[in-house]
Every structure is written in C-alpha cells, then in structure tokens.
Amino acid sequence: MRPQSLAVILASVLALLALPATADTSKPTPSAKELIAQSKPNEWRTPDPNNLLYMQLPQGRVVIELAPDFTPLHAANIRTLVREHYFDGLAIIRVQDNFVTQWGDPNDDDSGDKSKIKPLGHAKRTLPPEYTRAIDPKLPWTSLPDGDVYAPQVGFTEGFPAGRDPATGREWLLHCYGMVGVARDVAPDSGNGSSLYTVIGQAPRQIDRNLAIAGRVIEGMQYLSALPRGTGPLGFYTQAAQRVPILSVKLAADLPPAQREQLQVLRTDSATFAALVDAKRNRHDTFYTLPAGKVGVCNIDVPVRTQPASSGAR
Amino acid sequence: MRPQSLAVILASVLALLALPATADTSKPTPSAKELIAQSKPNEWRTPDPNNLLYMQLPQGRVVIELAPDFTPLHAANIRTLVREHYFDGLAIIRVQDNFVTQWGDPNDDDSGDKSKIKPLGHAKRTLPPEYTRAIDPKLPWTSLPDGDVYAPQVGFTEGFPAGRDPATGREWLLHCYGMVGVARDVAPDSGNGSSLYTVIGQAPRQIDRNLAIAGRVIEGMQYLSALPRGTGPLGFYTQAAQRVPILSVKLAADLPPAQREQLQVLRTDSATFAALVDAKRNRHDTFYTLPAGKVGVCNIDVPVRTQPASSGAR
C-alpha cells in the first residue's frame, strides 16, 4: 500500500454520507464531522448535572449520564452512594472480553474479605427491578425503522438507545456499547447500584429486560474498554494488584460549575442526528461502494462534544 | 450485595440453556460448558495448519484461522507474506475504540518513513477484491432463522458467520467481533493482506461486502482488544513507543507438529452448535427470567478448545 493509503482508508471509515435512499450516489456527501459542524446550537443539550457521574480512574475520567426517566430509583440510590463516597477506593473488579467491565467492592466477591465489605450507608439494599417501564408518550421518541432482531421497535430517547413493545406497552433501554447496567444477585430486587457494568463488546442484547440500565458512558469509555481482561472465571481479576482503583466518583452537581465538564450531547430528536443516522445507513463514497441500506440501533453513535466557547445552548 | 452475589451473577451470565421455544422454562437446562462437555469428538474439527497463523506479540500468541473458501487469493498472498517473514518486526499501528485493531507496516502511514517501507517480496501488490463469492451449495451452511438487519439471510459456514442474498446468488463473511479483515486503499484491488484488522467492538456490519475478510481470531483475542486506544485520528498511534511490536507471524504448517497449538473449533453444522445457539436464544434460568426468543448472528460464539488428550477427532 502507498504511504497515504492508511489515511485514505481511515478518512473513509469515518465518512458518513447523508444520502436519502434514492440519493445520487455518484457524489460523496458530508462526513459526520461535517454534519456535526453544520449543526445548530439548539440541537445539543447539556446533561443535567444531577445526572452526571464523574468516575476518576488513574488513567483518566469516565463520565456517565444517568437515565432517571427509565431507572429513577436506581439513579436516586446511586446519587446517595456517590454523595456518601461509597465508590471512592473501590475498584474495577472484572473485565470479560467482548462482554462487560464491572466495578464495585472487591470484598463483595468470593475471594474477598467479607468482614471488609463496605457498608451502603443511607442507600437502599434492594430496589424494584426497573428493567422496563410503561411507554410514556411525553418522552421523546425517535424511531429507527430499520428493524431489529431482539425488539419489536427500536429507536432513541433522550440520547439513549431503546426498545418498545406495543403489545405490552413497555419500553426499555438497550445493552449497546457503553451503556451502563446494574449488577445484581439472583433476586430481581437485589440490584442497588453499588456494582455497575458497561458493555465493551458486541451488544449483549439477549440480556435486555433482565437487568436495569442506569445510563451511558459519554466520555472516557476507552478507560474501561482497554483494560486487561481478567483471567479468572467470567473475567474477574484474581489478584488485587490487577484491579484498577476508583479514586473517586462524584456527582457533577456537587462540584462548582467551573469544575464541571462542558459536555453536550446531540439531541436524538434533532435533524442533525437524523442526518447522521441516514448517512450511516446509506454511506457511499469513493471507498465504500456498496451502501448497507440499513443500520442497526447499536451501530449508531450518539455524538458528544465539548461545548464550543461561542455556543449559547444550554 | 452478598459475598456470593457476583459469582452467582457471573455463573448465570454464562449459563446458556438449551430450551426449545416451547420448553418447560421452570427448570434451567445445561450451561454452555455442560453442552460442550457432552459434545462428541467428531463435532470438533482441527483447522488445517495451512490456514492457521500464529502472530506472536509480547503479551502472547494470537491464532487466526484463514477462510480460503471465501478469500482464496488473499489467503495465498498472506501465506507468501508470512513465509517471507514480512510481518516479523512490524507492529499494531491502530486501535480505534469500538471499531478495529489494525496491524501492518508503521512506515506505510502518513507519519512513517517512506524510504523504510518494507517490500512485499513475492507477494502480489494488488488482488481481486473477494468481498463476496457465488453461493456454493457444496459449502456447509447452517441457517440462522432469527433475522438480521443487514443481510437477507445469515448463518454459519465452516466456523464463520456469513450472509447470503438469494437475489444476487452471493454470500460473504460478516464483520463480527474477532473477524479479521483486509485493509486497503481506495481502489478495490489495493488490498493485499499486508495490513489486517480485527473487530474489537460492536460489529460494524455496514462495511460488510466493502472489504475482504481473511478469517477469524480463534485464540488470543484479548491481546488485540485490550490494547490502549490510539490517540491519533481514527485511533492511530501517534508515537512509535505506543505501537505493539509483532515479534513474528508464522504458518502452523511450517512448524513441526509438536510445536503447533492443539486447537479445535466446534463444527457450526453440529448438533452441539445448534443446541448452543438455541440455548442463547431461549436462555432462561433463575437469573434471566425473560428469554430473548431471538439471537443475533454476531452474538453467537463459535467455541474453540484445546484438543483433549483422549480425543481422536482430527
């Protein structure tokens, strides 16, 4: 390959083209970067600081947006745990390849010292499952008409991938890459947010509706996905030295505004998001000559950016 | 959570239950481990050593099975490159989160020293694309009836996930986790196997049929998926020190039999594979109370094991 070949390949890999199904495929259309550059300030939202967790690892900061419209009791319990510094000093305890990275109390494990299990403080020990919720017509819903293997309907709501079943009237968040779920014991009410996991491989959609989803990693995913895989059963780290310490988890709302990340998430009910989805669906350029024509719900990235200095969007 | 809770969660996560759609869901059925333990020796195949690459990294060995029934010219060219030690001393040059890890010649990049590009020796510089092939009724085909967003038909052939389109009479391998593709320049014939990539995130199925797939990582995937993400555009490493050196790539057939890995791959047209697929589709146990009822083609693992000492399977 010629020296420039890799750059060309890579530019093409990101080149998402906004072509309607009947588009003129003879000319490439703007890339994702270009579509985002053309977006309007009001297409972006600044997440509520009451829903933003900052998890500080030695490698860097992970930012998680909670999803209280889907898992309100879990969001409240996690906020309580965070405010009582429950997570500070705990660790990443499990990294299973092509599945999940999980964090929590290392002593809350077979090999742990039960006498040292960290108390949950004022947080609840059990919570109603919150795996699904009644479809709420007041919540935004951006339908993805491309179909899905697992759910009757899929789409996006408030920045999160979601599924719906009109037959049951229920909706739920999906286990796509970067989504954050609530580990639990066998009993459905045994999850309380003290141990969380995020998806680091192919979306394990078969576990949808069997676990509560607390939110999504919107920044720093690479600090969770690139960790050495655990060599114990199911990817647990077998030695304390392998675990990545959690220096602290804080709620953005508890920090002075000047110390908060200036992150914005593209609204999933915006025109630019629709253009990005269609671009991915019908991508066609000098490199990719055969557009897929369809796009999977977990193949769609919801863009996050640092708020431009000139932006007035809230 | 109680001390045993994580173990219970984890055991459940792997517990794939072999239930037909109308099964009695009141009792859990054997786990994947149990199903595999009950498999027969002739349900396993030992890959042809002419199709097995051993890529030695400082962290460990990656084993790749080539797919010459789908990409025969690429397999032949890669064998030529390997036998002339082309890859020895090259490097992992790119790790893009939720997409691919790519390896090849660091100098074949914008920041590389063009004067030091490694020559391809007797290998061909260009190859016909081999993105798809005519459906061959002589190749094994295990259909997955669960549907797919991207392809009219999906299933497995010779251990690889594949798609088919009866309208065009073509079939092709899928960009599922761990599949190995051929990087190329813009021209469709510019891929030659000197730079390869593997999928380390959600299957980027939108690039199916736009790139040749050379095979699948059957061992050591964690050495490619857990690497630090590159901080350059599209995940390229920006400094030489970040790159992981490739110590050597060898063809198993070129090693004495005693030095070969004793790996076996479960036949994807075997009864045990069918039971595993159905178990994943209809999984139901004390932990997972709601079976998905469907399974995505890229959610199915094709088991690999070290040949048991007592096994007579070839």
Side-chain angles (χ1 to χ4, degrees):
Chain A
M1 268 176 283
R2 300 195 303 278
Q4 72 272 29
S5 63
L6 292 170
V8 170
I9 291 170
L10 302 170
S12 301
V13 163
L14 271 198
L16 305 178
L17 305 179
L19 296 175
T22 57
D24 172 10
T25 55
S26 65
K27 56 177 179 180
T29 42
S31 67
K33 188 177 178 182
E34 289 170 313
L35 287 170
I36 288 172
Q38 294 164 9
S39 65
K40 296 172 182 171
N42 65 5
E43 292 187 307
W44 298 82
R45 65 183 172 84
T46 298
D48 183 339
N50 277 297
N51 295 334
L52 286 185
L53 305 182
Y54 296 164
M55 179 163 68
Q56 197 67 38
L57 303 178
Q59 296 90 332
R61 176 176 281 181
V62 176
V63 181
I64 296 166
E65 183 177 12
L66 298 174
D69 281 327
F70 281 79
T71 41
L73 299 173
H74 286 78
N77 220 46
I78 290 169
R79 287 189 200 101
T80 298
L81 290 165
V82 167
R83 285 182 161 142
E84 296 184 357
H85 306 284
Y86 172 78
F87 291 102
D88 304 5
L90 298 187
I92 311 283
I93 53 177
R94 172 196 186 193
V95 185
Q96 184 175 355
D97 196 52
N98 193 19
F99 192 39
V100 298
T101 291
Q102 183 176 342
W103 55 97
D105 186 347
N107 287 312
D108 192 7
D109 186 8
D110 284 344
S111 62
D113 182 344
K114 298 174 187 179
S115 71
K116 293 183 180 173
I117 290 179
K118 198 163 182 176
L120 295 181
H122 292 89
K124 293 186 167 60
R125 276 76 183 147
T126 62
L127 288 177
E130 296 187 318
Y131 303 160
T132 67
R133 57 157 295 154
I135 293 175
D136 182 350
K138 293 192 299 294
L139 291 180
W141 177 256
T142 302
S143 180
L144 188 73
D146 301 59
D148 184 73
V149 170
Y150 290 91
Q153 297 178 355
V154 291
F156 291 85
T157 179
E158 301 184 311
F160 303 108
R164 284 184 166 186
D165 186 352
T168 62
R170 307 298 292 182
E171 60 186 338
W172 59 91
L173 299 184
L174 307 180
H175 278 89
C176 297
Y177 195 90
M179 295 295 280
V180 175
V182 177
R184 64 167 168 88
D185 206 334
V186 168
D189 68 355
S190 59
N192 54 39
S194 64
S195 185
L196 301 168
Y197 61 87
T198 190
V199 173
I200 61 165
Q202 177 71 18
R205 296 284 310 282
Q206 68 278 5
I207 65 176
D208 287 351
R209 298 184 291 165
N210 282 285
L211 288 151
I213 291 185
R216 181 171 83 103
V217 175
I218 63 170
E219 191 177 74
M221 185 63 193
Q222 70 276 18
Y223 302 127
L224 298 172
S225 60
L227 296 172
R229 278 45 181 159
T231 53
L234 303 174
F236 266 76
Y237 289 133
T238 54
Q239 297 169 18
Q242 297 173 309
R243 296 184 196 120
V244 177
I246 296 172
L247 304 179
S248 66
V249 178
K250 295 179 180 173
L251 197 69
D254 293 340
L255 295 177
Q259 291 180 25
R260 297 178 194 162
E261 304 270 346
Q262 300 301 305
L263 295 178
Q264 296 186 313
V265 182
L266 186 67
R267 292 181 190 277
T268 42
D269 52 359
S270 68
T272 293
F273 185 74
L276 286 166
V277 170
D278 201 53
K280 193 142 197 172
R281 178 188 293 127
N282 291 306
R283 178 179 173 182
H284 189 285
D285 58 21
T286 53
F287 189 85
Y288 289 104
T289 55
L290 188 62
K294 299 271 189 175
V295 63
V297 64
C298 287
N299 288 90
I300 296 168
D301 301 318
V302 178
V304 177
R305 70 174 182 184
T306 299
Q307 181 172 336
S310 60
S311 168
R314 62 156 209 95
Chain B
M1 269 177 284
R2 299 194 305 276
Q4 73 273 28
S5 63
L6 293 170
V8 171
I9 290 169
L10 302 169
S12 300
V13 163
L14 270 198
L16 307 178
L17 305 178
L19 295 175
T22 57
D24 173 10
T25 54
S26 65
K27 55 177 180 179
T29 42
S31 66
K33 188 177 177 181
E34 290 170 312
L35 287 170
I36 287 172
Q38 294 164 8
S39 65
K40 296 172 183 171
N42 66 3
E43 292 188 304
W44 297 83
R45 65 182 172 85
T46 298
D48 184 338
N50 277 298
N51 295 335
L52 285 184
L53 305 181
Y54 295 164
M55 179 162 70
Q56 196 68 37
L57 303 177
Q59 295 90 333
R61 177 177 280 182
V62 176
V63 180
I64 296 166
E65 182 178 12
L66 298 174
D69 281 326
F70 282 79
T71 42
L73 299 173
H74 285 78
N77 219 45
I78 290 168
R79 286 190 202 103
T80 298
L81 290 165
V82 167
R83 286 182 161 144
E84 296 184 357
H85 305 286
Y86 172 79
F87 291 102
D88 303 5
L90 299 186
I92 311 283
I93 54 177
R94 172 196 186 193
V95 186
Q96 183 175 356
D97 195 53
N98 194 18
F99 191 39
V100 297
T101 290
Q102 183 176 342
W103 56 98
D105 186 347
N107 287 311
D108 192 7
D109 186 7
D110 284 345
S111 61
D113 182 344
K114 298 175 187 179
S115 71
K116 293 183 179 173
I117 291 179
K118 198 162 182 176
L120 295 182
H122 291 90
K124 292 187 167 59
R125 275 76 183 147
T126 62
L127 288 177
E130 297 188 317
Y131 302 159
T132 67
R133 58 157 295 153
I135 294 175
D136 182 350
K138 293 192 298 294
L139 291 179
W141 177 257
T142 302
S143 180
L144 188 72
D146 301 60
D148 184 72
V149 169
Y150 290 92
Q153 298 177 355
V154 291
F156 290 85
T157 178
E158 301 184 312
F160 304 108
R164 283 184 166 187
D165 186 353
T168 63
R170 308 296 293 181
E171 60 186 337
W172 59 91
L173 299 184
L174 307 180
H175 279 89
C176 297
Y177 195 89
M179 295 294 280
V180 175
V182 177
R184 65 168 168 87
D185 206 334
V186 168
D189 69 353
S190 59
N192 54 41
S194 64
S195 185
L196 300 168
Y197 60 88
T198 190
V199 173
I200 60 165
Q202 177 70 18
R205 297 284 310 283
Q206 68 278 5
I207 64 177
D208 287 351
R209 297 183 292 164
N210 283 284
L211 288 151
I213 291 185
R216 181 171 84 102
V217 175
I218 63 170
E219 191 177 73
M221 184 64 194
Q222 70 275 20
Y223 303 126
L224 298 172
S225 59
L227 296 171
R229 277 46 181 160
T231 54
L234 302 174
F236 266 77
Y237 289 133
T238 54
Q239 296 169 19
Q242 297 173 309
R243 296 183 196 121
V244 177
I246 297 172
L247 304 180
S248 66
V249 178
K250 294 178 182 173
L251 196 69
D254 293 342
L255 296 176
Q259 292 180 24
R260 297 178 195 163
E261 305 268 347
Q262 300 300 306
L263 296 178
Q264 296 186 312
V265 182
L266 186 67
R267 292 183 190 276
T268 43
D269 52 0
S270 68
T272 293
F273 184 73
L276 287 166
V277 170
D278 201 52
K280 194 144 198 172
R281 179 188 294 128
N282 292 308
R283 178 179 174 183
H284 188 287
D285 58 21
T286 55
F287 190 85
Y288 289 104
T289 55
L290 188 63
K294 300 269 189 176
V295 62
V297 64
C298 288
N299 288 88
I300 296 168
D301 302 318
V302 178
V304 177
R305 71 174 182 184
T306 299
Q307 181 174 336
S310 61
S311 168
R314 57 155 214 97

